[in-house]
Amino acid sequence: MAAEIKPTNKNGSGNIRKPVLVNKVEGFSDEINMACIIPREEGVISVSDDKTVRVWLRRDTGQYWPSICHSMPAAASCMAYNGETRRLFVGLDNGTITEFVVSDDFNRMTQVRDYLAHQSRVMSVKFSLQREWVLSCGKDKYFQWHCSETGRRLGGYQASAWCLCLDVDEQSNYVFVGDYSGQVSVLKITDQNFNHITTLKGHSGSVRSLAWDPDRNLLFSGSYDNSIIVWDIGGKQGTAFELQGHKDKVQALVYCTASKQLISTADDKVIGIWDMDANRVETPEWDENDHCQKCEKPFFWNFRKMWEERTIGIRQHHCRKCGKAVCEKCSCKRSTIPPMGYEYEVRVCDDCFEKITDEERAPLATFHDAKHSVTYMHLEVTRKRLLTVGKDRVIKIWDIGSVLHTH
C-alpha cells in the first residue's frame, strides 16, 4: 500500500510537494549495497553482502518477488547495469568484477567474464558503453579501467587512501575518484594511459558519493562531514559552493540533468532536493585573527593584548556570511543563507544579520522524511522514480514526479 511521506521543511514555508512511497522490496538477510530500477520494466536488481545478486519483478499483486537469485563467491559490494544491452557488472568483496548478460525475460543471467581488478573490496563500478570501458575503484586504493570487449586491463591510478566512489564524464573522458581522506582526484584517461589533472580538497570527512552535471560541468561530492560541495570544473574552474542541509553523514547523491536538481540523502533519514538552477554564492574563506574583527577584544591565545588590557581572552568564532573572525557577543544572531548553501540557521555577525534580506532567506531546497537511513540511490528519470537503499535492509521506490521540475 502506498504511503505518503510528510516532508521535514526546515524553512517553515508551509505546504510543499513531496515524494510519495509507492512500493518496498524486503526480505534481505544482510546489508544491501546497491540496487537499480530496471529501465522500461517493473523490476529491480540488487546486490548484497549475503553474496546474492537478485532480480526482483513486480507481480500482479503489486509485490516484488525474485525471478533470479544468483550466488556469488564473495559479498556483492556494488554493481552497474546497462539497460540497452542488459549487461550487468557486479563488484565483489574479494576485488573481482563479474560481467553477466541478463535474459530478455529477466529469468536468468549468463556469466561472460571475470575482471581481476582489485586486491580488496570493490566500492564502485561504472560501465561506459560508448567507450567499452569498465571503470572501478576499491579499498586497495586503486582506480582501474578495463576494456569490456577483451577483458584487458587498460590502466590504473593509485590514490592516497581507500577509493570509495567514482563518476565519469564520457564526453571528455574525465574521471572523478572520491576517497577516504576527503579528497577527489580528477583524471583524464585514454585506452593507454591517464593524466592526473588535479586533486580537489575541501572536505574534512570521507567522500562517500559523487554526481556529475555534464551540461554545466559541475561535480557534486557528498561527505561524512555532513556537507555537499559543488565544484565548478568548467568555466569557473576551482570555484566551490557548499550545500549545508543535512545533520549527519551524506551517503548518496543523484543529479537530474533535465530539472537541474540535486537529490541527496544522509544518515539523518532525510531526502534533500536542491534547486541547482538558482544563483549560488561561493562560501568565503575564514579569516584568522588575534582579536575580534568587530569589537577588537583579544582571543584567548593573544596573551600580550590580554596583559595590556588586563582582560580575559575570549573564544574565536566565524561569521558564515563574511568569514570574519568574531566573538560570541558580536555573532549571537542566527540565519539561513540558502544562496550560500546554508538551509538551516548558522552563525552570522550582527552586521551581516542586518543586511540579509527576506529574499536571501528564501529556501532553495526542500527536505523530506525517508523513514530510513539511505546508503544508496538510483534515479529513473523517464518514469520519475527514485530508489533508495536503507540500512534497515529495505529498498523503497518513490514517485518524485511532483518534486522534479521536468517538462
Side-chain angles (χ1 to χ4, degrees):
M1 179 179 176
E4 212 167 85
I5 301 301
K6 294 182 179 179
T8 302
N9 187 348
K10 303 178 182 180
N11 303 288
S13 62
N15 294 327
I16 54 177
R17 297 171 179 175
K18 49 193 175 292
V20 176
L21 179 64
V22 295
N23 224 315
K24 292 181 180 181
V25 182
E26 300 173 293
F28 291 89
S29 61
D30 211 332
E31 298 296 322
I32 313 164
N33 291 312
M34 284 189 185
C36 74
I37 299 171
I38 302 172
R40 300 175 298 278
E41 296 288 337
E42 292 293 342
V44 169
I45 302 175
S46 67
V47 294
S48 170
D49 271 350
D50 66 4
K51 301 184 181 181
T52 64
V53 179
R54 303 188 195 189
V55 177
W56 305 79
L57 297 181
R58 197 179 76 172
R59 307 303 182 185
D60 293 339
T61 60
Q63 291 182 305
Y64 283 83
W65 290 92
S67 61
I68 297 174
C69 184
H70 184 88
S71 293
M72 304 297 294
S77 55
C78 59
M79 57 167 279
Y81 177 69
N82 180 265
E84 186 178 338
T85 60
R86 297 193 307 280
R87 293 161 80 180
L88 175 66
F89 300 84
V90 180
L92 302 180
D93 192 57
N94 63 12
T96 301
I97 299 170
T98 302
E99 179 183 350
F100 298 93
V101 173
V102 183
S103 64
D104 55 6
D105 61 1
F106 297 97
N107 282 314
R108 66 184 183 282
M109 45 196 277
T110 305
Q111 184 171 340
V112 178
R113 64 166 57 89
D114 284 336
Y115 302 84
L116 303 179
H118 298 276
Q119 298 299 313
S120 59
R121 188 178 181 92
V122 185
M123 295 301 296
S124 182
V125 59
K126 301 284 184 183
F127 172 58
S128 169
L129 180 60
Q130 178 180 335
R131 306 290 183 184
E132 286 291 346
W133 287 342
V134 180
L135 308 102
S136 62
C137 67
K139 283 192 172 181
D140 59 357
K141 303 182 182 180
Y142 266 95
F143 159 71
Q144 309 269 19
W145 69 107
H146 290 73
C147 174
S148 59
E149 293 179 315
T150 64
R152 183 173 59 89
R153 179 182 179 275
L154 298 175
Y157 164 78
Q158 185 175 14
S160 59
W162 290 351
C163 298
L164 302 179
C165 55
L166 70 90
D167 211 335
V168 59
D169 178 26
E170 295 190 61
Q171 301 306 313
S172 65
N173 293 350
Y174 275 86
V175 175
F176 313 99
V177 183
D179 67 36
Y180 186 79
S181 72
Q183 300 179 3
V184 180
S185 299
V186 182
L187 313 170
K188 186 176 179 66
I189 65 173
T190 68
D191 284 337
Q192 289 81 32
N193 52 36
F194 72 90
N195 182 21
H196 181 264
I197 304 299
T198 189
T199 299
L200 305 176
K201 301 176 182 179
H203 287 292
S204 59
S206 303
V207 177
R208 193 62 187 87
S209 51
L210 295 170
W212 174 247
D213 174 4
D215 291 343
R216 294 181 294 172
N217 293 335
L218 298 177
L219 178 69
F220 306 93
S221 58
S223 170
Y224 276 14
D225 63 9
N226 305 355
S227 75
I228 301 163
I229 295 181
V230 186
W231 308 90
D232 194 330
I233 308 294
K236 299 177 182 177
Q237 190 168 355
T239 304
F241 307 93
E242 285 190 42
L243 303 179
Q244 301 278 358
H246 289 287
K247 298 292 188 179
D248 213 329
K249 299 173 182 176
V250 178
Q251 294 276 8
L253 300 173
V254 291
Y255 182 72
C256 180
T257 306
S259 66
K260 295 184 174 62
Q261 287 169 290
L262 178 73
I263 304 174
S264 62
T265 54
D267 278 349
D268 56 9
K269 302 183 180 181
V270 167
I271 298 173
I273 300 178
W274 306 78
D275 179 8
M276 297 312 302
D277 202 25
N279 290 326
R280 298 279 175 180
V281 179
E282 190 172 12
T283 49
E285 293 288 335
W286 283 5
D287 291 345
E288 294 299 330
N289 212 306
D290 288 335
H291 60 265
C292 174
Q293 292 179 282
K294 299 295 182 181
C295 69
E296 297 192 353
K297 287 185 179 179
F299 294 131
F300 61 81
W301 58 82
N302 190 350
F303 298 111
R304 181 176 179 179
K305 193 167 185 181
M306 286 165 57
W307 174 258
E308 290 173 352
E309 297 184 3
R310 298 295 191 272
T311 186
I312 297 175
I314 53 179
R315 184 183 173 190
Q316 176 183 264
H317 298 279
H318 286 93
C319 172
R320 298 313 194 261
K321 192 171 194 303
C322 67
K324 291 188 182 302
V326 289
C327 67
E328 171 71 30
K329 188 176 179 181
C330 294
S331 61
C332 59
K333 303 286 199 311
R334 301 289 186 275
S335 176
T336 60
I337 322 173
M340 298 182 72
Y342 296 111
E343 293 288 337
Y344 54 79
E345 291 187 342
V346 292
R347 180 186 299 274
V348 292
C349 67
D350 294 350
D351 291 346
C352 287
F353 184 81
E354 297 300 326
K355 294 175 184 176
I356 300 173
T357 64
D358 290 340
E359 185 179 352
E360 286 180 298
R361 289 189 176 94
L364 297 175
T366 57
F367 300 90
H368 313 269
D369 187 2
K371 298 192 186 301
H372 69 165
S373 182
V374 177
T375 57
Y376 183 77
M377 285 190 297
H378 176 251
L379 177 64
E380 212 281 296
V381 179
T382 306
R383 287 175 287 177
K384 297 181 180 178
R385 292 287 193 266
L386 180 70
L387 176 148
T388 59
V389 173
K391 289 185 176 180
D392 55 0
R393 302 178 184 178
V394 174
I395 295 171
K396 294 184 179 182
I397 300 170
W398 309 81
D399 181 346
I400 58 169
S402 66
V403 295
L404 287 187
H405 306 150
T406 54
H407 301 288

